[in-house]
PDB file of all heavy atoms in Angstrom:
ATOM      1  N   GLY A 246     -13.470  44.078  -5.435  1.00 97.00           N
ATOM      2  CA  GLY A 246     -14.667  43.247  -5.353  1.00 97.00           C
ATOM      3  C   GLY A 246     -14.991  42.660  -6.728  1.00 97.00           C
ATOM      4  O   GLY A 246     -14.903  43.361  -7.741  1.00 97.00           O
ATOM      5  N   ILE A 247     -15.343  41.368  -6.761  1.00 98.00           N
ATOM      6  CA  ILE A 247     -15.697  40.716  -8.037  1.00 98.00           C
ATOM      7  C   ILE A 247     -17.217  40.628  -8.121  1.00 98.00           C
ATOM      8  O   ILE A 247     -17.858  40.055  -7.232  1.00 98.00           O
ATOM      9  CB  ILE A 247     -15.048  39.318  -8.127  1.00 98.00           C
ATOM     10  CG1 ILE A 247     -13.512  39.460  -8.055  1.00 98.00           C
ATOM     11  CG2 ILE A 247     -15.463  38.599  -9.408  1.00 98.00           C
ATOM     12  CD1 ILE A 247     -12.746  38.145  -8.071  1.00 98.00           C
ATOM     13  N   ASN A 248     -17.774  41.271  -9.178  1.00 97.00           N
ATOM     14  CA  ASN A 248     -19.233  41.222  -9.356  1.00 97.00           C
ATOM     15  C   ASN A 248     -19.569  40.713 -10.754  1.00 97.00           C
ATOM     16  O   ASN A 248     -18.687  40.547 -11.606  1.00 97.00           O
ATOM     17  CB  ASN A 248     -19.863  42.597  -9.083  1.00 97.00           C
ATOM     18  CG  ASN A 248     -19.257  43.669  -9.965  1.00 97.00           C
ATOM     19  OD1 ASN A 248     -19.121  43.475 -11.175  1.00 97.00           O
ATOM     20  ND2 ASN A 248     -18.865  44.794  -9.371  1.00 97.00           N
ATOM     21  N   LYS A 249     -20.861  40.468 -10.987  1.00 97.00           N
ATOM     22  CA  LYS A 249     -21.316  39.835 -12.237  1.00 97.00           C
ATOM     23  C   LYS A 249     -21.009  40.716 -13.445  1.00 97.00           C
ATOM     24  O   LYS A 249     -20.588  40.229 -14.500  1.00 97.00           O
ATOM     25  CB  LYS A 249     -22.815  39.539 -12.124  1.00 97.00           C
ATOM     26  CG  LYS A 249     -23.343  38.746 -13.295  1.00 97.00           C
ATOM     27  CD  LYS A 249     -24.737  38.238 -13.036  1.00 97.00           C
ATOM     28  CE  LYS A 249     -25.265  37.379 -14.180  1.00 97.00           C
ATOM     29  NZ  LYS A 249     -25.191  38.006 -15.483  1.00 97.00           N
ATOM     30  N   GLN A 250     -21.209  42.020 -13.264  1.00 97.00           N
ATOM     31  CA  GLN A 250     -20.978  42.956 -14.380  1.00 97.00           C
ATOM     32  C   GLN A 250     -19.512  42.863 -14.859  1.00 97.00           C
ATOM     33  O   GLN A 250     -19.242  42.800 -16.060  1.00 97.00           O
ATOM     34  CB  GLN A 250     -21.289  44.363 -13.890  1.00 97.00           C
ATOM     35  CG  GLN A 250     -21.452  45.361 -15.008  1.00 97.00           C
ATOM     36  CD  GLN A 250     -21.654  46.763 -14.435  1.00 97.00           C
ATOM     37  OE1 GLN A 250     -21.659  46.972 -13.219  1.00 97.00           O
ATOM     38  NE2 GLN A 250     -21.818  47.728 -15.312  1.00 97.00           N
ATOM     39  N   LEU A 251     -18.593  42.794 -13.904  1.00 97.00           N
ATOM     40  CA  LEU A 251     -17.175  42.693 -14.244  1.00 97.00           C
ATOM     41  C   LEU A 251     -16.893  41.359 -14.931  1.00 97.00           C
ATOM     42  O   LEU A 251     -16.237  41.306 -15.977  1.00 97.00           O
ATOM     43  CB  LEU A 251     -16.336  42.842 -12.960  1.00 97.00           C
ATOM     44  CG  LEU A 251     -14.824  42.593 -13.067  1.00 97.00           C
ATOM     45  CD1 LEU A 251     -14.170  43.542 -14.063  1.00 97.00           C
ATOM     46  CD2 LEU A 251     -14.164  42.761 -11.702  1.00 97.00           C
ATOM     47  N   LEU A 252     -17.412  40.270 -14.360  1.00 97.00           N
ATOM     48  CA  LEU A 252     -17.157  38.944 -14.951  1.00 97.00           C
ATOM     49  C   LEU A 252     -17.733  38.867 -16.359  1.00 97.00           C
ATOM     50  O   LEU A 252     -17.076  38.364 -17.280  1.00 97.00           O
ATOM     51  CB  LEU A 252     -17.787  37.838 -14.091  1.00 97.00           C
ATOM     52  CG  LEU A 252     -17.027  37.360 -12.860  1.00 97.00           C
ATOM     53  CD1 LEU A 252     -17.630  36.072 -12.344  1.00 97.00           C
ATOM     54  CD2 LEU A 252     -15.541  37.166 -13.134  1.00 97.00           C
ATOM     55  N   ASP A 253     -18.961  39.382 -16.551  1.00 96.00           N
ATOM     56  CA  ASP A 253     -19.598  39.334 -17.883  1.00 96.00           C
ATOM     57  C   ASP A 253     -18.769  40.107 -18.910  1.00 96.00           C
ATOM     58  O   ASP A 253     -18.691  39.720 -20.076  1.00 96.00           O
ATOM     59  CB  ASP A 253     -21.019  39.912 -17.828  1.00 96.00           C
ATOM     60  CG  ASP A 253     -21.985  38.951 -17.121  1.00 96.00           C
ATOM     61  OD1 ASP A 253     -21.593  37.783 -16.902  1.00 96.00           O
ATOM     62  OD2 ASP A 253     -23.109  39.371 -16.779  1.00 96.00           O
ATOM     63  N   SER A 254     -18.142  41.206 -18.477  1.00 97.00           N
ATOM     64  CA  SER A 254     -17.386  42.052 -19.410  1.00 97.00           C
ATOM     65  C   SER A 254     -16.088  41.380 -19.873  1.00 97.00           C
ATOM     66  O   SER A 254     -15.447  41.837 -20.811  1.00 97.00           O
ATOM     67  CB  SER A 254     -17.059  43.403 -18.759  1.00 97.00           C
ATOM     68  OG  SER A 254     -16.018  43.240 -17.816  1.00 97.00           O
ATOM     69  N   LEU A 255     -15.679  40.270 -19.197  1.00 97.00           N
ATOM     70  CA  LEU A 255     -14.414  39.613 -19.563  1.00 97.00           C
ATOM     71  C   LEU A 255     -14.570  38.674 -20.754  1.00 97.00           C
ATOM     72  O   LEU A 255     -13.597  38.312 -21.410  1.00 97.00           O
ATOM     73  CB  LEU A 255     -13.872  38.800 -18.372  1.00 97.00           C
ATOM     74  CG  LEU A 255     -13.590  39.569 -17.081  1.00 97.00           C
ATOM     75  CD1 LEU A 255     -13.203  38.604 -15.969  1.00 97.00           C
ATOM     76  CD2 LEU A 255     -12.491  40.590 -17.271  1.00 97.00           C
ATOM     77  N   ASN A 256     -15.829  38.220 -20.991  1.00 95.00           N
ATOM     78  CA  ASN A 256     -16.113  37.300 -22.109  1.00 95.00           C
ATOM     79  C   ASN A 256     -15.257  36.036 -22.057  1.00 95.00           C
ATOM     80  O   ASN A 256     -14.642  35.644 -23.046  1.00 95.00           O
ATOM     81  CB  ASN A 256     -15.864  37.999 -23.455  1.00 95.00           C
ATOM     82  CG  ASN A 256     -17.099  38.745 -23.882  1.00 95.00           C
ATOM     83  OD1 ASN A 256     -18.221  38.262 -23.690  1.00 95.00           O
ATOM     84  ND2 ASN A 256     -16.910  39.941 -24.424  1.00 95.00           N
ATOM     85  N   LYS A 257     -15.155  35.439 -20.886  1.00 96.00           N
ATOM     86  CA  LYS A 257     -14.385  34.203 -20.767  1.00 96.00           C
ATOM     87  C   LYS A 257     -14.965  33.351 -19.635  1.00 96.00           C
ATOM     88  O   LYS A 257     -15.691  33.854 -18.766  1.00 96.00           O
ATOM     89  CB  LYS A 257     -12.912  34.510 -20.491  1.00 96.00           C
ATOM     90  CG  LYS A 257     -12.675  35.211 -19.158  1.00 96.00           C
ATOM     91  CD  LYS A 257     -11.209  35.431 -18.868  1.00 96.00           C
ATOM     92  CE  LYS A 257     -10.541  34.187 -18.360  1.00 96.00           C
ATOM     93  NZ  LYS A 257      -9.268  34.469 -17.662  1.00 96.00           N
ATOM     94  N   GLU A 258     -14.635  32.054 -19.684  1.00 95.00           N
ATOM     95  CA  GLU A 258     -15.035  31.149 -18.609  1.00 95.00           C
ATOM     96  C   GLU A 258     -14.043  31.304 -17.460  1.00 95.00           C
ATOM     97  O   GLU A 258     -12.833  31.356 -17.681  1.00 95.00           O
ATOM     98  CB  GLU A 258     -14.969  29.694 -19.098  1.00 95.00           C
ATOM     99  CG  GLU A 258     -16.140  29.272 -19.964  1.00 95.00           C
ATOM    100  CD  GLU A 258     -17.473  29.381 -19.242  1.00 95.00           C
ATOM    101  OE1 GLU A 258     -17.575  28.920 -18.094  1.00 95.00           O
ATOM    102  OE2 GLU A 258     -18.409  29.961 -19.840  1.00 95.00           O
ATOM    103  N   ILE A 259     -14.551  31.409 -16.276  1.00 97.00           N
ATOM    104  CA  ILE A 259     -13.659  31.522 -15.116  1.00 97.00           C
ATOM    105  C   ILE A 259     -14.310  30.793 -13.942  1.00 97.00           C
ATOM    106  O   ILE A 259     -15.521  30.871 -13.754  1.00 97.00           O
ATOM    107  CB  ILE A 259     -13.364  33.008 -14.814  1.00 97.00           C
ATOM    108  CG1 ILE A 259     -12.277  33.164 -13.778  1.00 97.00           C
ATOM    109  CG2 ILE A 259     -14.577  33.766 -14.417  1.00 97.00           C
ATOM    110  CD1 ILE A 259     -11.633  34.544 -13.814  1.00 97.00           C
ATOM    111  N   VAL A 260     -13.510  30.033 -13.215  1.00 98.00           N
ATOM    112  CA  VAL A 260     -14.025  29.281 -12.058  1.00 98.00           C
ATOM    113  C   VAL A 260     -13.799  30.136 -10.822  1.00 98.00           C
ATOM    114  O   VAL A 260     -12.682  30.622 -10.588  1.00 98.00           O
ATOM    115  CB  VAL A 260     -13.292  27.924 -11.922  1.00 98.00           C
ATOM    116  CG1 VAL A 260     -13.778  27.174 -10.687  1.00 98.00           C
ATOM    117  CG2 VAL A 260     -13.471  27.085 -13.176  1.00 98.00           C
ATOM    118  N   ILE A 261     -14.864  30.327 -10.038  1.00 98.00           N
ATOM    119  CA  ILE A 261     -14.765  31.137  -8.813  1.00 98.00           C
ATOM    120  C   ILE A 261     -14.745  30.221  -7.589  1.00 98.00           C
ATOM    121  O   ILE A 261     -15.644  29.388  -7.412  1.00 98.00           O
ATOM    122  CB  ILE A 261     -15.958  32.119  -8.697  1.00 98.00           C
ATOM    123  CG1 ILE A 261     -16.019  33.074  -9.893  1.00 98.00           C
ATOM    124  CG2 ILE A 261     -15.922  32.878  -7.363  1.00 98.00           C
ATOM    125  CD1 ILE A 261     -14.949  34.147  -9.915  1.00 98.00           C
TER     126      ILE A 261
END
Side-chain angles (χ1 to χ4, degrees):
I247 300 177
N248 57 47
K249 187 169 183 307
Q250 195 184 1
L251 173 59
L252 279 193
D253 287 348
S254 75
L255 301 174
N256 274 321
K257 64 177 281 199
E258 282 300 313
I259 189 160
V260 177
I261 301 287

